[in-house]
């Protein structure tokens, strides 16, 4: 079992939702944490709620839409404690729009944030892990990364892409003692639907019923930390929506009929 005590963990999207809950859960394990997101004030709020010494937590503002900052951000992250032992690619954005009405510009933005930023940060942190022959990379995907649903076409595509990339990476770096874990949450109580992009790029600003009734983010965070500790390759977190993974595998036609009824 991987112990998190004194490990250096970099979490993107740490200012709210799953990222915030993960920060608290990992902090309780005695790790040193680098907190990143666009909202610096919120990062400091989260930091101030973490237990123990303040010096164990560093705030690193990061805008995942600005590719030109990714490399320097990774360098700064490594400079805080001299290394990054665990990278959690959690930052992302969802979607609530029809494929036929969504502009290619919005689709590129979703892919940039959800896919390209994750692989770029990984590529910048990976050399240090290889040199130390130790490390763990976590990608927060989604159950929608296993099967697509209406109003989330590009979001689903970005999460599917994470699976292809990180499954391949795992097969390449296992001899370097580097673990790769894909996390697939279902409905979790966060603001993900409020902040989802519409076809115009505006925020959706509506709380999905399933989201509001989903698992608490703290419960999701506990499951993620357990997966990290156990070096799991892939896990699913949620309620009855997890059944979609197995329906896709065994009864794909039935799943197709079910997802047609999904509303935004």
């Amino acid at each position: 079992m991987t112990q998190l005590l004194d490990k250096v963990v970099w979490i993107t999207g740490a200012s709210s939702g799953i990222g915030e809950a993960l920060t608290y859960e990992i902090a309780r394990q005695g790790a040193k944490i680098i907190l990143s997101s666009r909202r610096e004030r919120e990062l400091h709020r989260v930091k101030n709620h973490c237990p123990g010494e303040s010096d164990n937590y560093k705030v690193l503002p990061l805008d995942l839409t600005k590719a030109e900052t990714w490399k320097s951000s990774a360098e700064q992250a490594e400079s805080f404690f001299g290394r990054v032992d665990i990278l959690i690619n959690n930052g992302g954005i969802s979607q609530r729009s029809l494929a036929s009405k969504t502009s290619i510009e919005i689709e590129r933005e979703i892919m940039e944030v959800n896919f390209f930023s994750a692989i770029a940060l990984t590529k910048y942190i990976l050399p240090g892990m290889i040199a130390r022959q130790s490390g763990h990379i976590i990608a927060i995907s989604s159950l929608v990364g296993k099967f697509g649903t209406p109003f989330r076409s590009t979001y689903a595509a970005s999460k599917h892409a994470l699976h292809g990339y990180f499954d391949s990476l795992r097969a390449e770096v296992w001899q370097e003692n580097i673990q790769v874990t894909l996390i697939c949450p279902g409905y979790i109580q966060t603001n993900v639907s409020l902040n989802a992009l519409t076809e115009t790029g505006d925020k959706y600003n509506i709380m999905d019923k399933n989201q509001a009734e989903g698992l608490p983010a703290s419960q999701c965070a506990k499951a993620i930390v357990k997966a990290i500790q156990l070096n799991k390759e892939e896990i699913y977190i949620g309620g009855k929506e997890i059944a979609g993974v197995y329906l896709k595998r065994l009864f794909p036609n039935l799943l197709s009929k079910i997802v047609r009824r999904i509303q935004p």
Side-chain angles (χ1 to χ4, degrees):
M1 177 179 284
T2 298
Q3 299 297 325
L4 296 180
L5 181 64
D6 292 327
K7 294 290 187 182
V8 178
V9 184
W10 185 15
I11 306 174
T12 67
S15 62
S16 64
I18 293 173
E20 179 177 355
L22 261 178
T23 299
Y24 300 144
E25 187 63 27
I26 291 173
R28 283 192 284 270
Q29 304 294 323
K32 298 177 173 65
I33 303 176
I34 303 158
L35 298 81
S36 285
S37 81
R38 287 187 296 182
R39 300 182 297 167
E40 185 171 1
R41 180 178 294 181
E42 288 300 296
L43 290 174
H44 283 286
R45 176 188 62 79
V46 174
K47 174 185 174 180
N48 291 337
H49 281 87
C50 290
E53 296 293 329
S54 177
D55 286 346
N56 287 337
Y57 310 105
K58 304 296 183 182
V59 167
L60 175 57
L62 174 64
D63 187 341
L64 295 179
T65 67
K66 297 182 178 179
E68 68 275 9
T69 68
W70 296 342
K71 184 176 182 180
S72 60
S73 293
E75 291 170 348
Q76 188 172 354
E78 289 187 309
S79 73
F80 284 131
F81 300 105
R83 68 189 191 280
V84 171
D85 297 309
I86 301 172
L87 170 63
I88 302 180
N89 290 298
N90 170 70
I93 192 164
S94 193
Q95 172 194 17
R96 296 295 184 276
S97 60
L98 293 170
S100 61
K101 295 184 177 180
T102 305
S103 70
I104 192 68
E105 289 77 18
I106 298 303
E107 293 181 315
R108 287 184 182 277
E109 180 177 347
I110 293 170
M111 291 298 297
E112 188 82 352
V113 171
N114 291 356
F115 176 66
F116 284 108
S117 72
I119 67 170
L121 296 183
T122 297
K123 288 167 77 71
Y124 295 136
I125 292 299
L126 195 57
M129 292 182 173
I130 292 173
R132 292 187 300 275
Q133 294 287 284
S134 176
H136 201 148
I137 297 162
I138 292 90
I140 306 298
S141 177
S142 167
L143 290 181
V144 181
K146 305 297 287 186
F147 55 91
T149 63
F151 308 100
R152 298 161 177 82
S153 55
T154 310
Y155 176 73
S158 68
K159 297 302 187 178
H160 275 67
L162 289 177
H163 285 260
Y165 187 90
F166 284 103
D167 280 345
S168 295
L169 180 65
R170 184 190 299 114
E172 294 174 357
V173 299
W174 69 274
Q175 289 182 309
E176 315 290 348
N177 195 34
I178 296 170
Q179 311 297 322
V180 177
T181 300
L182 282 154
I183 307 292
C184 304
Y187 295 123
I188 310 297
Q189 293 175 19
T190 71
N191 291 332
V192 65
S193 66
L194 293 173
N195 297 319
L197 295 184
T198 65
E199 63 267 20
T200 62
D202 295 324
K203 288 187 177 182
Y204 184 56
N205 282 325
I206 297 174
M207 175 59 75
D208 289 349
K209 180 176 183 295
N210 287 327
Q211 212 80 50
E213 297 175 352
L215 289 181
S218 59
Q219 189 173 339
C220 177
K222 289 180 185 296
I224 294 172
V225 168
K226 185 177 180 180
I228 295 170
Q229 292 172 326
L230 295 176
N231 295 329
K232 293 287 188 179
E233 291 191 356
E234 182 172 302
I235 66 163
Y236 312 128
I237 305 171
K240 61 184 180 181
E241 65 272 19
I242 292 176
V245 176
Y246 304 101
L247 288 175
K248 176 69 173 179
R249 187 181 306 162
L250 301 173
F251 306 103
N253 290 338
L254 175 59
L255 179 64
S256 292
K257 292 176 182 178
I258 292 172
V259 300
R260 290 169 191 165
R261 300 197 295 266
I262 294 177
Q263 297 300 311

